[in-house]
Amino acid sequence: MLDRGVVEEFLDCKFKELKIKIPRDIKKEALVEAFCQYIEDDYYEWLKDNFKSFFEHGETDWEWIRGKIKV
């Protein structure tokens, strides 16, 4: 789901800014992948929570949604 190249560039920038060095026994590609998995797992949970809120746990307010669509 995430663009691994963009995530790698982001991490490179943040590591440089914070003067963080990746340990020699950790490959950057593996670190990027692990970070992406961490974000994607959290993102899925965030989507589920927001789905429940948006659709009011099955008591969907379609008029409210229509108002959001017109914005």
Side-chain angles (χ1 to χ4, degrees):
M1 180 187 294
L2 293 173
D3 183 323
R4 269 49 179 174
V6 171
V7 172
E8 183 176 348
E9 286 179 30
F10 171 80
L11 290 176
D12 287 344
C13 181
K14 295 306 279 182
F15 288 165
K16 184 175 180 180
E17 177 184 314
L18 299 171
K19 296 180 172 82
I20 295 173
K21 293 192 180 196
I22 302 170
R24 290 180 190 228
D25 64 328
I26 297 177
K27 292 182 179 181
K28 186 167 32 167
E29 297 79 20
L31 180 61
V32 168
E33 185 59 31
F35 186 69
C36 286
Q37 289 296 317
Y38 176 81
I39 292 170
E40 288 170 351
D41 289 347
D42 188 55
Y43 182 66
Y44 182 69
E45 291 303 316
W46 177 81
L47 281 174
K48 289 192 318 187
D49 289 343
N50 280 284
F51 179 86
K52 290 176 190 173
S53 297
F54 191 85
F55 293 102
E56 297 186 27
H57 303 276
E59 303 291 326
T60 307
D61 181 349
W62 290 109
E63 290 305 314
W64 179 80
I65 292 172
R66 283 184 182 95
K68 290 293 186 187
I69 293 169
K70 290 180 182 177
V71 171

PDB file of all heavy atoms in Angstrom, residues 44-57:
ATOM      1  N   TYR A  44      -4.800   0.301   9.112  1.00  0.00           N
ATOM      2  CA  TYR A  44      -5.993  -0.536   8.970  1.00  0.00           C
ATOM      3  C   TYR A  44      -6.898  -0.374  10.186  1.00  0.00           C
ATOM      4  O   TYR A  44      -8.123  -0.254  10.051  1.00  0.00           O
ATOM      5  CB  TYR A  44      -5.599  -1.997   8.751  1.00  0.00           C
ATOM      6  CG  TYR A  44      -6.792  -2.890   8.541  1.00  0.00           C
ATOM      7  CD1 TYR A  44      -7.550  -2.793   7.381  1.00  0.00           C
ATOM      8  CD2 TYR A  44      -7.177  -3.810   9.509  1.00  0.00           C
ATOM      9  CE1 TYR A  44      -8.665  -3.596   7.191  1.00  0.00           C
ATOM     10  CE2 TYR A  44      -8.289  -4.613   9.320  1.00  0.00           C
ATOM     11  CZ  TYR A  44      -9.029  -4.504   8.159  1.00  0.00           C
ATOM     12  OH  TYR A  44     -10.140  -5.294   7.981  1.00  0.00           O
ATOM     13  N   GLU A  45      -6.319  -0.361  11.368  1.00  0.00           N
ATOM     14  CA  GLU A  45      -7.103  -0.157  12.595  1.00  0.00           C
ATOM     15  C   GLU A  45      -7.763   1.217  12.588  1.00  0.00           C
ATOM     16  O   GLU A  45      -8.928   1.371  12.971  1.00  0.00           O
ATOM     17  CB  GLU A  45      -6.236  -0.335  13.840  1.00  0.00           C
ATOM     18  CG  GLU A  45      -5.794  -1.767  14.076  1.00  0.00           C
ATOM     19  CD  GLU A  45      -6.958  -2.740  14.194  1.00  0.00           C
ATOM     20  OE1 GLU A  45      -7.952  -2.426  14.892  1.00  0.00           O
ATOM     21  OE2 GLU A  45      -6.899  -3.819  13.571  1.00  0.00           O
ATOM     22  N   TRP A  46      -7.023   2.230  12.137  1.00  0.00           N
ATOM     23  CA  TRP A  46      -7.557   3.586  12.039  1.00  0.00           C
ATOM     24  C   TRP A  46      -8.742   3.622  11.086  1.00  0.00           C
ATOM     25  O   TRP A  46      -9.773   4.256  11.360  1.00  0.00           O
ATOM     26  CB  TRP A  46      -6.425   4.513  11.584  1.00  0.00           C
ATOM     27  CG  TRP A  46      -6.818   5.925  11.361  1.00  0.00           C
ATOM     28  CD1 TRP A  46      -6.962   6.899  12.294  1.00  0.00           C
ATOM     29  CD2 TRP A  46      -7.111   6.535  10.094  1.00  0.00           C
ATOM     30  NE1 TRP A  46      -7.326   8.087  11.688  1.00  0.00           N
ATOM     31  CE2 TRP A  46      -7.425   7.890  10.346  1.00  0.00           C
ATOM     32  CE3 TRP A  46      -7.128   6.078   8.785  1.00  0.00           C
ATOM     33  CZ2 TRP A  46      -7.763   8.766   9.331  1.00  0.00           C
ATOM     34  CZ3 TRP A  46      -7.465   6.961   7.777  1.00  0.00           C
ATOM     35  CH2 TRP A  46      -7.772   8.292   8.060  1.00  0.00           C
ATOM     36  N   LEU A  47      -8.625   2.933   9.931  1.00  0.00           N
ATOM     37  CA  LEU A  47      -9.729   2.878   8.970  1.00  0.00           C
ATOM     38  C   LEU A  47     -10.965   2.222   9.581  1.00  0.00           C
ATOM     39  O   LEU A  47     -12.086   2.715   9.398  1.00  0.00           O
ATOM     40  CB  LEU A  47      -9.315   2.101   7.722  1.00  0.00           C
ATOM     41  CG  LEU A  47      -8.476   2.837   6.700  1.00  0.00           C
ATOM     42  CD1 LEU A  47      -8.037   1.865   5.597  1.00  0.00           C
ATOM     43  CD2 LEU A  47      -9.230   3.994   6.101  1.00  0.00           C
ATOM     44  N   LYS A  48     -10.785   1.118  10.291  1.00  0.00           N
ATOM     45  CA  LYS A  48     -11.920   0.429  10.909  1.00  0.00           C
ATOM     46  C   LYS A  48     -12.616   1.333  11.916  1.00  0.00           C
ATOM     47  O   LYS A  48     -13.853   1.410  11.936  1.00  0.00           O
ATOM     48  CB  LYS A  48     -11.462  -0.867  11.586  1.00  0.00           C
ATOM     49  CG  LYS A  48     -11.077  -1.950  10.617  1.00  0.00           C
ATOM     50  CD  LYS A  48     -10.888  -3.320  11.249  1.00  0.00           C
ATOM     51  CE  LYS A  48     -10.176  -3.343  12.550  1.00  0.00           C
ATOM     52  NZ  LYS A  48      -9.872  -4.688  13.056  1.00  0.00           N
ATOM     53  N   ASP A  49     -11.841   2.026  12.759  1.00  0.00           N
ATOM     54  CA  ASP A  49     -12.432   2.921  13.752  1.00  0.00           C
ATOM     55  C   ASP A  49     -13.198   4.063  13.092  1.00  0.00           C
ATOM     56  O   ASP A  49     -14.302   4.421  13.516  1.00  0.00           O
ATOM     57  CB  ASP A  49     -11.357   3.497  14.681  1.00  0.00           C
ATOM     58  CG  ASP A  49     -10.790   2.465  15.636  1.00  0.00           C
ATOM     59  OD1 ASP A  49     -11.425   1.400  15.816  1.00  0.00           O
ATOM     60  OD2 ASP A  49      -9.715   2.726  16.200  1.00  0.00           O
ATOM     61  N   ASN A  50     -12.615   4.640  12.060  1.00  0.00           N
ATOM     62  CA  ASN A  50     -13.273   5.746  11.368  1.00  0.00           C
ATOM     63  C   ASN A  50     -14.493   5.289  10.584  1.00  0.00           C
ATOM     64  O   ASN A  50     -15.473   6.031  10.471  1.00  0.00           O
ATOM     65  CB  ASN A  50     -12.280   6.500  10.487  1.00  0.00           C
ATOM     66  CG  ASN A  50     -11.463   7.451  11.307  1.00  0.00           C
ATOM     67  OD1 ASN A  50     -11.947   8.508  11.690  1.00  0.00           O
ATOM     68  ND2 ASN A  50     -10.245   7.071  11.636  1.00  0.00           N
ATOM     69  N   PHE A  51     -14.463   4.084  10.068  1.00  0.00           N
ATOM     70  CA  PHE A  51     -15.638   3.538   9.392  1.00  0.00           C
ATOM     71  C   PHE A  51     -16.805   3.462  10.368  1.00  0.00           C
ATOM     72  O   PHE A  51     -17.925   3.895  10.066  1.00  0.00           O
ATOM     73  CB  PHE A  51     -15.338   2.145   8.822  1.00  0.00           C
ATOM     74  CG  PHE A  51     -16.524   1.523   8.137  1.00  0.00           C
ATOM     75  CD1 PHE A  51     -16.776   1.788   6.806  1.00  0.00           C
ATOM     76  CD2 PHE A  51     -17.377   0.688   8.836  1.00  0.00           C
ATOM     77  CE1 PHE A  51     -17.887   1.230   6.178  1.00  0.00           C
ATOM     78  CE2 PHE A  51     -18.481   0.125   8.217  1.00  0.00           C
ATOM     79  CZ  PHE A  51     -18.743   0.393   6.889  1.00  0.00           C
ATOM     80  N   LYS A  52     -16.534   2.936  11.569  1.00  0.00           N
ATOM     81  CA  LYS A  52     -17.581   2.836  12.586  1.00  0.00           C
ATOM     82  C   LYS A  52     -18.145   4.210  12.917  1.00  0.00           C
ATOM     83  O   LYS A  52     -19.359   4.385  13.022  1.00  0.00           O
ATOM     84  CB  LYS A  52     -17.033   2.187  13.856  1.00  0.00           C
ATOM     85  CG  LYS A  52     -16.730   0.720  13.711  1.00  0.00           C
ATOM     86  CD  LYS A  52     -16.091   0.187  14.980  1.00  0.00           C
ATOM     87  CE  LYS A  52     -15.562  -1.202  14.793  1.00  0.00           C
ATOM     88  NZ  LYS A  52     -14.808  -1.665  15.971  1.00  0.00           N
ATOM     89  N   SER A  53     -17.284   5.199  13.087  1.00  0.00           N
ATOM     90  CA  SER A  53     -17.733   6.551  13.418  1.00  0.00           C
ATOM     91  C   SER A  53     -18.519   7.180  12.280  1.00  0.00           C
ATOM     92  O   SER A  53     -19.581   7.770  12.491  1.00  0.00           O
ATOM     93  CB  SER A  53     -16.538   7.446  13.752  1.00  0.00           C
ATOM     94  OG  SER A  53     -15.868   6.985  14.885  1.00  0.00           O
ATOM     95  N   PHE A  54     -17.997   7.073  11.071  1.00  0.00           N
ATOM     96  CA  PHE A  54     -18.631   7.700   9.911  1.00  0.00           C
ATOM     97  C   PHE A  54     -20.021   7.127   9.671  1.00  0.00           C
ATOM     98  O   PHE A  54     -20.966   7.851   9.371  1.00  0.00           O
ATOM     99  CB  PHE A  54     -17.748   7.517   8.672  1.00  0.00           C
ATOM    100  CG  PHE A  54     -18.174   8.329   7.485  1.00  0.00           C
ATOM    101  CD1 PHE A  54     -17.757   9.642   7.352  1.00  0.00           C
ATOM    102  CD2 PHE A  54     -18.967   7.779   6.491  1.00  0.00           C
ATOM    103  CE1 PHE A  54     -18.134  10.409   6.245  1.00  0.00           C
ATOM    104  CE2 PHE A  54     -19.346   8.526   5.383  1.00  0.00           C
ATOM    105  CZ  PHE A  54     -18.936   9.845   5.261  1.00  0.00           C
ATOM    106  N   PHE A  55     -20.139   5.807   9.793  1.00  0.00           N
ATOM    107  CA  PHE A  55     -21.409   5.151   9.541  1.00  0.00           C
ATOM    108  C   PHE A  55     -22.185   4.853  10.820  1.00  0.00           C
ATOM    109  O   PHE A  55     -23.146   4.089  10.816  1.00  0.00           O
ATOM    110  CB  PHE A  55     -21.190   3.874   8.709  1.00  0.00           C
ATOM    111  CG  PHE A  55     -20.703   4.188   7.322  1.00  0.00           C
ATOM    112  CD1 PHE A  55     -19.368   4.034   7.002  1.00  0.00           C
ATOM    113  CD2 PHE A  55     -21.563   4.668   6.359  1.00  0.00           C
ATOM    114  CE1 PHE A  55     -18.901   4.339   5.722  1.00  0.00           C
ATOM    115  CE2 PHE A  55     -21.109   4.975   5.080  1.00  0.00           C
ATOM    116  CZ  PHE A  55     -19.779   4.811   4.764  1.00  0.00           C
ATOM    117  N   GLU A  56     -21.789   5.479  11.917  1.00  0.00           N
ATOM    118  CA  GLU A  56     -22.473   5.443  13.209  1.00  0.00           C
ATOM    119  C   GLU A  56     -22.871   4.030  13.644  1.00  0.00           C
ATOM    120  O   GLU A  56     -24.018   3.795  14.036  1.00  0.00           O
ATOM    121  CB  GLU A  56     -23.679   6.374  13.179  1.00  0.00           C
ATOM    122  CG  GLU A  56     -23.286   7.824  12.981  1.00  0.00           C
ATOM    123  CD  GLU A  56     -24.455   8.780  13.103  1.00  0.00           C
ATOM    124  OE1 GLU A  56     -25.427   8.453  13.805  1.00  0.00           O
ATOM    125  OE2 GLU A  56     -24.368   9.850  12.488  1.00  0.00           O
ATOM    126  N   HIS A  57     -21.944   3.109  13.552  1.00  0.00           N
ATOM    127  CA  HIS A  57     -22.141   1.741  14.040  1.00  0.00           C
ATOM    128  C   HIS A  57     -23.419   1.102  13.494  1.00  0.00           C
ATOM    129  O   HIS A  57     -24.153   0.435  14.212  1.00  0.00           O
ATOM    130  CB  HIS A  57     -22.146   1.713  15.569  1.00  0.00           C
ATOM    131  CG  HIS A  57     -20.913   2.281  16.174  1.00  0.00           C
ATOM    132  ND1 HIS A  57     -19.776   1.546  16.355  1.00  0.00           N
ATOM    133  CD2 HIS A  57     -20.616   3.536  16.611  1.00  0.00           C
ATOM    134  CE1 HIS A  57     -18.834   2.312  16.896  1.00  0.00           C
ATOM    135  NE2 HIS A  57     -19.326   3.520  17.053  1.00  0.00           N
TER     136      HIS A  57
END
